[in-house]
Amino acid sequence: MDDWRVLYGVGGYPQAADRLVPLLADGLRRIDPHRPDAPIPAGLYLSRLADLKDPIAIPVITDTLTWAGRHRSWTVVTSALDALATFGPAAQAAHAQIRPLTNAPDTAVRAAAQAALDALTGDKQTVPAQSTPGHGLGQHPPY
């Protein structure tokens, strides 16, 4: 329970992103793919990375997006897309990874991918689609 409380406060310390991003990435690494009831969902880590609003979080989010896409873990993909969208044009390097997801078999992923592309390019004044409540429990990122 204490880990949950700590995670909810992370966004209030953007000046500590250089120390917090590696800790959040480590949390993503520890999620057990065989336990769908993991104590802390991947989506929570991803949203906290986005809350820091520091570009050093973008590679961690992008790596998670790649891994989750390979494993067809759509809730984690959606959470990663939501997180990338919050960075807007600063996450432009992820464009090539996001574009194919506009044709994903999951409708939530397609919507989140389009919202992320819109945010990256600034084409539309839209708010990124938010992840479903599952947030990818039990997903294990590649790093």
Side-chain angles (χ1 to χ4, degrees):
M1 186 55 104
D2 288 336
D3 289 344
W4 282 83
R5 276 183 267 196
V6 168
L7 283 173
Y8 280 104
V10 164
Y13 299 98
Q15 71 279 9
D18 61 328
R19 292 182 307 258
L20 293 170
V21 168
L23 293 172
L24 292 168
D26 186 52
L28 281 167
R29 270 184 246 122
R30 289 183 306 198
I31 293 176
D32 183 353
H34 304 293
R35 290 188 50 219
D37 60 342
I40 300 175
L44 181 57
Y45 286 109
L46 290 162
S47 66
R48 295 310 124 200
L49 286 165
D51 287 346
L52 288 171
K53 304 210 184 323
D54 192 305
I56 65 170
I58 294 171
V60 173
I61 297 167
T62 305
D63 289 347
T64 302
L65 175 66
T66 300
W67 180 88
R70 247 190 343 257
H71 290 86
R72 302 175 66 91
S73 179
W74 302 129
T75 56
V76 178
V77 168
T78 302
S79 294
L81 289 166
D82 293 345
L84 285 170
T86 66
F87 287 94
Q92 188 62 37
H95 189 274
Q97 291 169 281
I98 296 170
R99 172 64 61 201
L101 294 171
T102 60
N103 294 315
D106 185 87
T107 44
V109 169
R110 288 193 307 269
Q114 188 59 57
L117 287 174
D118 292 345
L120 266 58
T121 61
D123 286 344
K124 293 183 183 176
Q125 299 275 0
T126 59
V127 175
Q130 294 301 307
S131 303
T132 55
H135 296 299
L137 285 172
Q139 302 307 311
H140 184 19
Y143 27 84

